[in-house]
Amino acid sequence: MFLAFIASIIFITYANDCSIEDMYFKGDKTVILGELYSAECGSLKECYLLIFFENEFFHKHIIIKKRATTKENISLTCQVLFPSGSKDLVLEIEVLYPPQNFSCIPKKMQVLEGDYLEFSAKISSNPHSDIVLKGPNNVNYLPTKFDVEGELYKAMFKINASLNMTGSYTCAAIWKYNNSITTSNIVNIDVLYPPDRIFSIV
């Protein structure tokens, strides 16, 4: 993951009874894209502190509330300065986002009976989404192959075609964060058979 937002917070202490063990930096561990995240830094003890954050000074502690505007993770750093040295306190916030750029494409719109019906699907989300292929008669097919490239999840379906597989197909993505379902466009597939095939009618 790339770090899109990096903020530095500088603590300046003038009291001898404050130490690095007294400092805290806490906040959200995850945030959904577009929503607010919060963090707080300060000291567990009463001592005089100046906190520098985004070109402003704050006294004793600071509460941060911001909106996650990009898909990249957020990194916040508190730098505590003492006469004897400094210490960095880091808070990482993971940005979650629902399925995006979902596509589900068949290799062919018409397939001969006995050949393979093939679909390729891809989707971007964090955390990853599981993809199933939904066919006629409420039959679900699992991927025969899948691949993960960063935040992009790819799934491939390869199914032996029979006549009862003619009909409408769509891919469904199940987001692992809350099990919400996103569906792709509907594709109609025809399974063809040779003209010399003989059917018996009872």
Side-chain angles (χ1 to χ4, degrees):
M1 295 286 185
F2 294 99
L3 303 179
F5 176 68
I6 302 176
S8 295
I9 302 169
I10 302 175
F11 287 76
I12 305 175
T13 176
Y14 299 98
N16 293 328
D17 59 344
C18 273
S19 66
I20 185 61
E21 287 75 20
D22 301 321
M23 306 302 170
Y24 67 86
F25 192 21
K26 60 184 180 180
D28 296 329
K29 300 300 182 184
T30 61
V31 60
I32 296 178
L33 180 65
E35 295 188 359
L36 291 172
Y37 63 88
S38 61
E40 182 179 358
C41 17
S43 173
L44 298 173
K45 285 186 177 180
E46 285 292 329
C47 58
Y48 185 74
L49 293 173
L50 283 179
I51 303 171
F52 186 68
F53 178 72
E54 292 189 345
N55 299 317
E56 291 187 60
F57 284 97
F58 301 86
H59 179 54
K60 288 189 177 180
H61 79 284
I62 179 175
I63 297 176
I64 304 161
K65 287 187 178 292
K66 287 185 172 291
R67 193 172 302 278
T69 57
T70 68
K71 295 188 295 185
E72 286 77 21
N73 285 351
I74 299 160
S75 179
L76 300 173
T77 302
C78 285
Q79 186 179 42
V80 186
L81 301 180
F82 290 95
S84 58
S86 64
K87 177 74 174 182
D88 287 349
L89 304 178
V90 178
L91 177 65
E92 301 284 352
I93 303 176
E94 184 180 9
V95 178
L96 310 179
Y97 61 94
Q100 299 176 351
N101 305 318
F102 191 17
S103 67
C104 184
I105 303 172
K107 186 174 182 180
K108 296 178 181 179
M109 302 294 288
Q110 293 183 327
V111 182
L112 288 175
E113 182 187 18
D115 284 348
Y116 286 101
L117 176 63
E118 297 181 68
F119 276 83
S120 61
K122 61 181 179 180
I123 195 168
S124 176
S125 67
N126 184 33
H128 289 302
S129 299
D130 291 326
I131 302 177
V132 297
L133 178 65
K134 305 177 76 68
N137 304 314
N138 296 318
V139 178
N140 292 338
Y141 302 94
L142 297 177
T144 51
K145 184 180 178 182
F146 64 88
D147 188 27
V148 178
E149 295 179 4
E151 297 164 355
L152 186 65
Y153 179 87
K154 297 180 179 180
M156 282 68 74
F157 300 86
K158 188 174 183 180
I159 310 155
N160 191 266
S162 58
L163 285 179
N164 62 356
M165 294 175 66
T166 292
S168 298
Y169 289 80
T170 185
C171 286
I174 300 93
W175 191 27
K176 291 184 178 180
Y177 174 72
N178 59 6
N179 292 325
S180 60
I181 298 176
T182 302
T183 55
S184 67
N185 55 303
I186 296 175
V187 177
N188 292 315
I189 299 294
D190 288 327
V191 179
L192 309 178
Y193 58 90
D196 59 349
R197 177 167 179 169
I198 300 174
F199 290 91
S200 61
I201 302 176
V202 178

